[in-house]
């Protein structure tokens, strides 16, 4: 059997595959963060909580309203996205003109509130969400047993990521968005409703997080704290990619998934830490991240 | 002369009376109240395991006891330790300094427990640990001031690993949480597996906590071991089992051995995922009539079935209160001595006995998680396969490093 | 008498302000000395340790404009080093243990600071967060910290070898003295020319640079002082509670110190103390009340309310009111 650094090739390939799937999650989450940061200049610390709310909306929708997985895939991001827009209108808007620090602190507070409240109602053990029937089982690829659901997660996440990239980089709406990022006052004078654009953008970024939450629901126990550990990892991804860079967030997400996957084979104890090491190295060499523009 | 004699006699009598009063005062209940503090994680990872449910169990015990001991009312207070050793130690220190607490119950995270027992030892108060798993609590960290009631990692490793090897699972791959508790559990399991004729062929130490276990499960699959041992706890175990089910580990012929799995974990994961899992438990709500009767009373209050930890809080509090009643004192050494002299047999503990190292040994049970088809209700989760006798389950005193044990 | 007559009105006002300030300090010191007879000393010591930690953090954020999201690393380093030394070398006195622990935090501060100050704004925050995460990993792995279980049974020992700190009262006065030293350092730093330059850098870094100030050196010094004081707080805390644990190294601790500073008032001398006092009391009171399960929700609400309505924090708002009405 061919070995790569002491690991059989098949295992090695399998690990790369899993890394890529995790990377797709990171990409989806960091993409939302990057979109929000790009236009609102807000470091959305509530992103992990929004991801969690997406998963909860899926779970509760099934439990109390009989909404199935496929409908939840659409509805949960919509509901959470609307919720995000309300938050933007009521709170974030009022601090838009202030230092970034305040947005970070406000959203951090919101995350504490959401998580703490749900803990009191649902505990922390988490609940299980069944894998939809069409996606159960798995295929035996040449190098590993790949559950169908994981393959679906990879596919769905990539499609949504690329779709978002396309909208932002290639459509008129995206052009407004990018222009709004550069110079909101000018856009306003051209008759574009910038405040509305901002609200929609926040809603959209949050909806992406919620979408990741729906994808995660059958994979991990749905619990109020599921987003909080993921959050700082996703931050690191966004920073490494370059804050506000759409393509940077997607590519870095996938890349970090791979690096983390390899760490899990060669030095598993450090799997949660390696990403921060990469972040330091990148920021030292490229101050604005891999794909960011220097201010 | 008579006058002098009289005065002398009366002053002697007075002195004797005062001395007597002093000694009886010592044997009495301090401050005229029995004060019990309940310290546990009320909002974090271990909330469902002990948390508010344990507090309710404590209240039930006090109510069932009649709310007072020999006329001294029983006062309960509680606090959330947020799984932080500082917060835990600090809270208990304050209970000691400002409220003169007599007994502290609960205690889950081992870091909190070790910190709290240090404070209790310094101030000569009693702690009854129900939540923690670490067997070191009554081994290298033992003290005359605390008791470990429900279970610890030794019988868990012993019961589960032994049973699995007996069933033919003789090659193991260990998934270990990378911290002291995980390492200790891994060590215990390795020893039992090897003693039973099996072999540990590989393992991986994952960071604590970990959400995504797919990579480690893949490594375990690649190892070719028959059994994947989970030397972790709480959310980590849940995640590992879930992931294993997605990757068809059991279908592919490998078996999982969860070493620290609680009722609330199995309930959360569902039977579909966990069926067939072997585990060792100190108590199960449906194991017999007595247990069921108590569990149903608990269920009416909490709308959940109790875990072994919550049941243990009730059982230990009862035993403690009986000791206070019998000795008429809430002095730590007196109460503990009485608790050690009395065998423990209630709805929770069978053949229970409190050893000098503070370990309460009692019968443990080897259980298997039912399949969805066999389960008759939301909480009908385990089938008890075997009873592990109290004297065999726990670490023998001859191996103890506790300084209270003469070896 | 002759000298006062020659004072200009401006200097006279300055002199009065100084007198008022000194009187205010004196009152606070007296309050601090009497406090343990009114409140529970261990609780007060906790407040003082966190107040010192918040003051250290505030020196960096409030006066140099640098938001560190990794200050837990210094708190934990001070705590672990002191805790380890005192439990392994019984002959070591507590003040030496604290000194070495603080020294370790200073060394770490130099290393982290040298890397972090090369980036600005949110990137600075992220570098400090990442470095602190690396330290967290180190403390989990390193054998001397006891990993997840933590370091327990650290002896309080005898101060200078002959004053027993076993009693809470003695310990309190020792902690109070340390706090005063730490606070004096912050106060001196802020009111010195060094502090003025820091403020200039915070307001407009390119301008400070063009005025010929070695901006990096100033930032680094501020970072190191802040790290050292955070380490001092950590060392002291370890001796008070006789333990050091991973809680102090976790990034939530870095978040908590931001909350304390923000609540009390960023960039005010007393803000962090008020903030730390409030947050610690709140956690303390809530933990033992029926609302115990809601601690994190309530902290979150405070965050939100602070950011939306009281951005200058309690002390900041009081200062504003004072200025509006009395000047």
């Amino acid at each position: 059997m061919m070995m790569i650094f002491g690991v059989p090739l098949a295992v090695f390939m399998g690990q790369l595959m899993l890394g890529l799937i995790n990377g797709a999650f990171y990409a989806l989450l960091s993409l939302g963060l990057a979109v929000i940061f790009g236009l609102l200049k807000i470091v959305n610390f509530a992103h992990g909580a929004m991801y969690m709310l997406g998963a909860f909306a899926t779970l509760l929708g099934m439990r109390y309203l009989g909404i199935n997985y496929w409908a939840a895939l659409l509805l949960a991001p919509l509901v959470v996205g609307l919720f995000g827009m309300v938050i933007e209108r009521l709170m974030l808007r009022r601090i838009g003109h202030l230092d970034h620090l305040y947005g970070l602190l406000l959203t951090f507070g919101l995350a504490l509130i959401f998580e703490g409240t749900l803990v009191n109602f649902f505990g922390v053990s988490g609940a299980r969400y069944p894998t939809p029937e069409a996606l159960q089982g798995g295929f035996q690829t040449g190098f590993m047993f790949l559950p169908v659901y994981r393959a679906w997660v990879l596919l769905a996440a990539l499609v949504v990521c690329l779709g978002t990239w396309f909208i932002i980089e290639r459509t008129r709406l995206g052009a407004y968005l990018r222009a709004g990022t550069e110079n909101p006052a000018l856009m306003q004078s051209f008759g574009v409703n910038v405040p509305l654009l901002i609200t929609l953008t926040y809603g959209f970024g949050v909806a992406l997080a919620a979408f990741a939450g729906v994808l995660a629901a059958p994979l991990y126990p749905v619990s109020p704290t599921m987003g909080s550990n993921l959050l700082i990892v996703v931050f690191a991804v966004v920073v490494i990619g370059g804050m506000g860079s759409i393509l940077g967030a997607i590519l870095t997400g996938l890349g970090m998934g791979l690096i983390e996957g390899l760490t899990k084979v060669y030095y598993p104890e450090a799997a949660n830490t390696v990403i921060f090491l990469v972040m330091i190295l990148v920021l030292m060499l490229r101050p604005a991240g891999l794909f960011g523009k220097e201010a | 002369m008579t006058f002098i004699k009289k005065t002398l006699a009366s002053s002697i009598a007075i002195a004797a009376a005062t001395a007597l009063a002093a000694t009886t005062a010592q044997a009495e209940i301090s401050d005229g109240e029995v004060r019990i503090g309940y310290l546990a994680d009320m909002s974090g990872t271990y909330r469902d395991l002990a948390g508010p449910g344990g507090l309710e169990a404590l209240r039930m015990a006090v109510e069932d006891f009649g709310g007072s001991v020999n006329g001294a009312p029983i006062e309960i207070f509680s606090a959330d330790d947020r799984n932080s050793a500082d917060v835990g130690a600090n809270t208990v220190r304050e209970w000691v300094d400002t409220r003169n607490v007599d007994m502290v119950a609960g205690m889950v995270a081992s870091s909190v427990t070790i910190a709290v027992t240090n404070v209790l030892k310094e101030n000569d108060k009693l702690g009854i640990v129900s939540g923690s798993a670490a067997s070191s609590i009554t081994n290298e960290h033992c003290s005359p001031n605390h008791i470990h009631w429900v279970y610890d990692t030794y019988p868990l490793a012993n019961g589960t690993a032994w049973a699995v090897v007996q069933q033919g699972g003789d090659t193991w791959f260990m998934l270990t949480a990378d911290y002291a508790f995980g390492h200790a559990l891994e060590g215990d399991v390795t020893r039992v597996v090897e003693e039973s004729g099996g072999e540990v062929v590989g393992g991986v130490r994952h960071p604590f906590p970990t959400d995504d276990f797919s990579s480690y499960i893949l490594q375990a699959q690649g190892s070719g071991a028959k059994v994947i041992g989970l030397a972790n706890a709480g959310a980590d175990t849940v995640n590992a089992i879930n992931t294993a089910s997605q990757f068809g580990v059991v279908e592919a012929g490998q078996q999982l051995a969860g070493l620290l799995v609680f009722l609330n974990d199995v309930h959360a994961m569902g039977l579909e995922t966990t069926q067939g899992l072997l585990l060792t438990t100190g108590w199960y709500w449906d194991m017999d009539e007595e247990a069921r009767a108590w569990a149903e009373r608990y269920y009416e209050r909490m709308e959940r079935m109790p875990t072994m930890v919550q049941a243990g809080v009730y059982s230990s509090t009862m035993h403690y209160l009986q000791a206070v009643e019998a000795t008429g004192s809430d002095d730590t050494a007196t109460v503990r001595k009485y608790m050690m002299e009395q065998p423990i047999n209630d709805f929770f503990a069978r053949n229970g006995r409190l050893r000098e190292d503070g370990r309460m040994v009692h019968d443990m049970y080897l259980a298997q998680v039912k399949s969805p088809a066999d389960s008759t209700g939301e909480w009908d989760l385990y089938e008890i396969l075997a009873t592990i006798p109290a004297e065999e389950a726990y670490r023998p005193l001859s191996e103890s490093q506790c300084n209270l044990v003469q070896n | 008498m002759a000298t006062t007559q020659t004072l200009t009105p401006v200097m006279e006002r300055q002199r009065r302000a100084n007198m008022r300030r000194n009187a205010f300090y004196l009152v606070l010191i007296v309050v601090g000395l009497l406090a343990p007879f009114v409140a529970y000393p261990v609780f007060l010591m906790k407040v003082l340790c966190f107040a010192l930690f918040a003051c250290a953090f505030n020196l960096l954020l409030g006066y140099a404009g640098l938001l560190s999201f990794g200050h837990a690393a210094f708190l934990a380093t001070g705590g672990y080093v002191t805790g380890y030394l005192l439990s392994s070398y019984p002959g070591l006195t507590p003040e030496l243990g604290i000194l070495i622990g603080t020294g370790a935090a200073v060394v770490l501060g130099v290393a982290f600071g040298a890397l972090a100050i090369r980036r600005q704004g949110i990137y600075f925050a992220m570098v400090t967060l990442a470095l602190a995460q690396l330290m967290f990993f180190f403390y989990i792995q390193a054998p001397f910290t006891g990993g997840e279980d933590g370091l327990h049974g650290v002896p309080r020992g005898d101060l200078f070898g002959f004053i027993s700190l076993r009693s809470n009262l003695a310990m309190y006065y020792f902690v109070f003295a340390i706090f005063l030293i730490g606070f004096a350092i912050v106060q001196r730093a802020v009111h010195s020319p060094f502090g003025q330059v820091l403020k200039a850098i915070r307001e407009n870094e390119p301008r400070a640079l063009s005025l010929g100030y070695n901006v990096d050196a100033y930032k680094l010094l501020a970072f190191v002082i802040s790290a050292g004081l955070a380490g001092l707080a950590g060392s002291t805390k370890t001796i008070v509670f006789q333990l050091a644990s991973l809680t102090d190294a976790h990034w939530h601790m870095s978040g908590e110190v931001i909350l304390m500073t923000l609540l009390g008032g960023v960039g005010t001398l007393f803000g962090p103390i008020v903030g730390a006092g409030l947050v610690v009391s709140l956690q303390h009171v809530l933990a033992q009340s029926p609302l115990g399960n809601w601690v994190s929700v309530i902290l979150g609400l405070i965050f939100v309310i602070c950011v939306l309505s009281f951005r200058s924090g309690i002390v900041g708002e009081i200062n504003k009111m004072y200025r509006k009405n009395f000047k």
Side-chain angles (χ1 to χ4, degrees), chain A residues 42-123:
Chain A
I42 276 184
V43 182
N44 187 27
F45 245 85
H47 215 64
M50 295 299 179
Y51 160 80
M52 177 270 288
L53 288 179
F56 257 95
T58 312
L59 178 78
L60 299 180
M62 180 192 68
R63 212 182 263 177
Y64 297 111
L65 304 172
I67 295 169
N68 72 13
Y69 176 80
W70 303 102
L73 220 42
L74 202 68
L75 286 176
L78 203 67
V79 170
V80 178
L82 283 173
F83 180 59
M85 287 189 222
V86 172
I87 289 173
E88 198 281 330
R89 284 310 279 256
L90 293 181
M91 298 182 193
L92 295 179
R93 173 151 306 175
R94 298 175 49 183
I95 57 158
H97 55 286
L98 298 169
D99 193 279
H100 299 173
L101 167 64
Y102 290 106
L104 186 156
L105 295 174
L106 180 69
T107 47
F108 182 54
L110 289 174
L112 287 179
I113 296 175
F114 298 152
E115 288 176 6
T117 308
L118 286 174
V119 164
N120 276 294
F121 289 108
F122 298 98

Side-chain angles (χ1 to χ4, degrees), chain B residues 42 78-80 82 84 86 89-91 93-95 97-99 110-111 114-115 118 122 178-179 208, chain C residues 40 42 46 140-141 148-149 152-153 156 168 237 240-243 245 247-248 283-284 287-288 292-293:
Chain B
M42 304 292 262
S78 70
D80 184 357
R82 291 185 290 136
S84 148
D86 301 24
N90 228 342
T91 308
R93 200 183 300 260
E94 193 188 343
W95 283 349
D97 287 347
T98 64
R99 302 200 191 184
S110 51
S111 56
I114 297 169
N118 273 318
E122 228 172 88
D178 188 31
Y179 64 101
F208 166 79
Chain C
Y40 177 52
V42 178
K46 185 173 184 186
I140 284 193
Q141 295 292 323
E148 211 24 53
D149 280 350
H152 296 282
R156 280 189 181 174
N168 281 339
K237 186 168 163 288
V240 173
F241 299 136
Q242 302 178 279
L243 60 91
S245 72
T247 322
D248 289 352
Q283 285 172 343
H284 184 81
Q288 304 195 30
N293 306 344

Side-chain angles (χ1 to χ4, degrees), chain A residues 12 15-16 19 257-267:
Chain A
F12 186 80
Q15 295 295 346
L16 283 186
L258 289 178
I259 290 180
E260 200 187 74
L262 292 181
T263 315
K264 283 177 174 171
V265 182
Y266 295 107
Y267 188 20

Side-chain angles (χ1 to χ4, degrees), chain C residues 44-300:
Chain C
L44 292 174
M45 287 189 262
K46 185 173 184 186
V47 170
L48 287 178
C49 289
F50 277 103
L52 182 56
F53 183 36
C55 284
F57 173 80
N58 182 45
L59 177 66
L60 204 54
L61 177 63
Y63 296 95
L66 296 170
L67 170 65
S68 160
F69 217 117
H71 250 49
F74 306 117
L75 185 77
T77 301
Y80 274 128
V81 170
T82 304
Y84 175 71
L85 290 176
L86 290 181
S87 7
S88 338
Y89 303 96
L92 204 67
T93 50
E95 74 284 354
L96 285 178
I98 289 182
L99 219 56
I100 302 174
T102 309
V106 167
V107 172
L108 193 71
V110 173
F112 281 16
L115 288 173
I117 57 156
R118 295 163 62 183
R119 299 293 165 257
Q120 280 155 4
I122 212 77
Y123 291 102
F124 173 87
M126 287 297 153
V127 172
T128 48
L129 170 66
L131 290 167
Q133 288 298 108
L134 296 188
M135 285 315 288
F136 183 78
F137 177 63
F138 171 73
Y139 286 130
I140 284 193
Q141 295 292 323
F144 78 93
T145 61
E148 211 24 53
D149 280 350
L151 199 63
H152 296 282
V154 178
R156 280 189 181 174
D158 300 316
L159 184 61
F160 308 121
F162 61 90
I163 306 170
S164 168
L165 293 178
R166 228 142 292 149
S167 99
N168 281 339
L169 212 58
M171 188 73 217
Y172 173 82
Y173 286 116
F174 179 48
V175 174
F176 189 56
I178 289 177
F179 171 77
L180 287 181
I181 294 169
F183 184 75
I185 293 174
V186 174
Q187 204 263 359
R188 271 326 296 153
V190 169
H191 289 298
S192 66
F194 166 71
Q196 301 300 326
V197 178
L198 281 186
K199 280 179 226 165
I201 295 172
R202 178 188 67 190
E203 295 308 325
N204 191 337
E205 189 171 331
R207 184 147 181 273
L209 199 61
S210 69
L211 285 173
Y213 289 112
N214 185 347
V215 168
D216 280 355
Y218 277 95
K219 280 191 189 170
L220 182 61
L221 185 55
F223 194 93
V224 172
I225 295 176
S226 175
L229 290 175
L232 177 63
S235 298
T236 313
K237 186 168 163 288
T238 292
I239 296 185
V240 173
F241 299 136
Q242 302 178 279
L243 60 91
S245 72
L246 281 176
T247 322
D248 289 352
H250 199 269
W251 67 272
H252 281 167
M253 185 57 81
S254 301
E256 216 159 88
V257 73
I258 300 178
L259 173 67
M260 291 171 183
T261 312
L262 184 78
L263 177 64
V266 179
T268 61
L269 268 178
F270 289 98
I273 302 173
V274 173
L278 270 176
V279 171
V280 173
S281 319
L282 200 70
Q283 285 172 343
H284 184 81
V285 172
L286 287 177
Q288 304 195 30
S289 76
L291 282 175
N293 306 344
W294 294 89
V295 175
S296 69
V297 177
I298 292 168
L299 287 182

